[in-house]
Amino acid sequence: MARVVSLKNSPAAREVRGREELVEVAVELFARNGFAGTSIRDIADAVGRSVSNVYHYFENKEALWLAILERSVKALPARLRGALEDVSEPRARIAALVREHLDVSEQYRRESRIFFIDEERLSASGNKANKRIQREILTIYVAELETLRAAGLLADGDVRVTAFNMLGVINWYLRWSKPSAGQAKREQTVDQVLAFILRGATGS
């Protein structure tokens, strides 16, 4: 009889688990203390490992930051585009876009928050990766607002400024909303945030 080999404890599987544990702890510490306020020693101590063990998986703190980006916010543009499929009416498209953005931000609440903390301390390559995703998200919003304008539904003003204002509201939502709130309360809050954004964009 052929011997069944379990992959759960294979070296490759252990490498994956070790890496994921570090990323999860880094998310928690970065969200709580900021990127600049968290050291590799802090991360090592939190998981009960040596500093050298952390460096085995990640060459520096920024590599951990980029791994967090990879698993969370990097997927946001595709999620936003997916939310617009099969939605044709311009105002309804804006509503679908904002709701999906809020949903994804809620799913990755801690991750979403850390990308707006201490980003000026990142290296040029790290900052470039962060800015590229932000520009992609902004482009999606600007395109939808241009569609709203073409339909005669957009309030007067610069489209990019309106997009930045919308994104500012969404980002601040993560700072003051309570993750412990019940689902019904959260839905009411999202409805109110969405109504505020639509009034600002359309004037009605």
Side-chain angles (χ1 to χ4, degrees), residues 117-130:
I117 299 175
D118 294 336
E119 66 179 359
E120 73 278 1
R121 296 177 183 267
L122 297 172
S123 70
S125 60
N127 216 320
K128 183 178 180 181
N130 186 33

Side-chain angles (χ1 to χ4, degrees), residues 5 13 26 46 66 82 103-104 125 145 172 184 200 204:
V5 178
L66 291 171
D103 284 348
V104 175
S125 60
L145 289 171
W172 272 104
S204 62

Side-chain angles (χ1 to χ4, degrees), residues 21-34:
E21 183 182 22
L22 289 171
V23 170
E24 180 60 29
V25 168
V27 168
E28 183 64 33
L29 293 179
F30 288 164
R32 184 194 311 160
N33 304 322

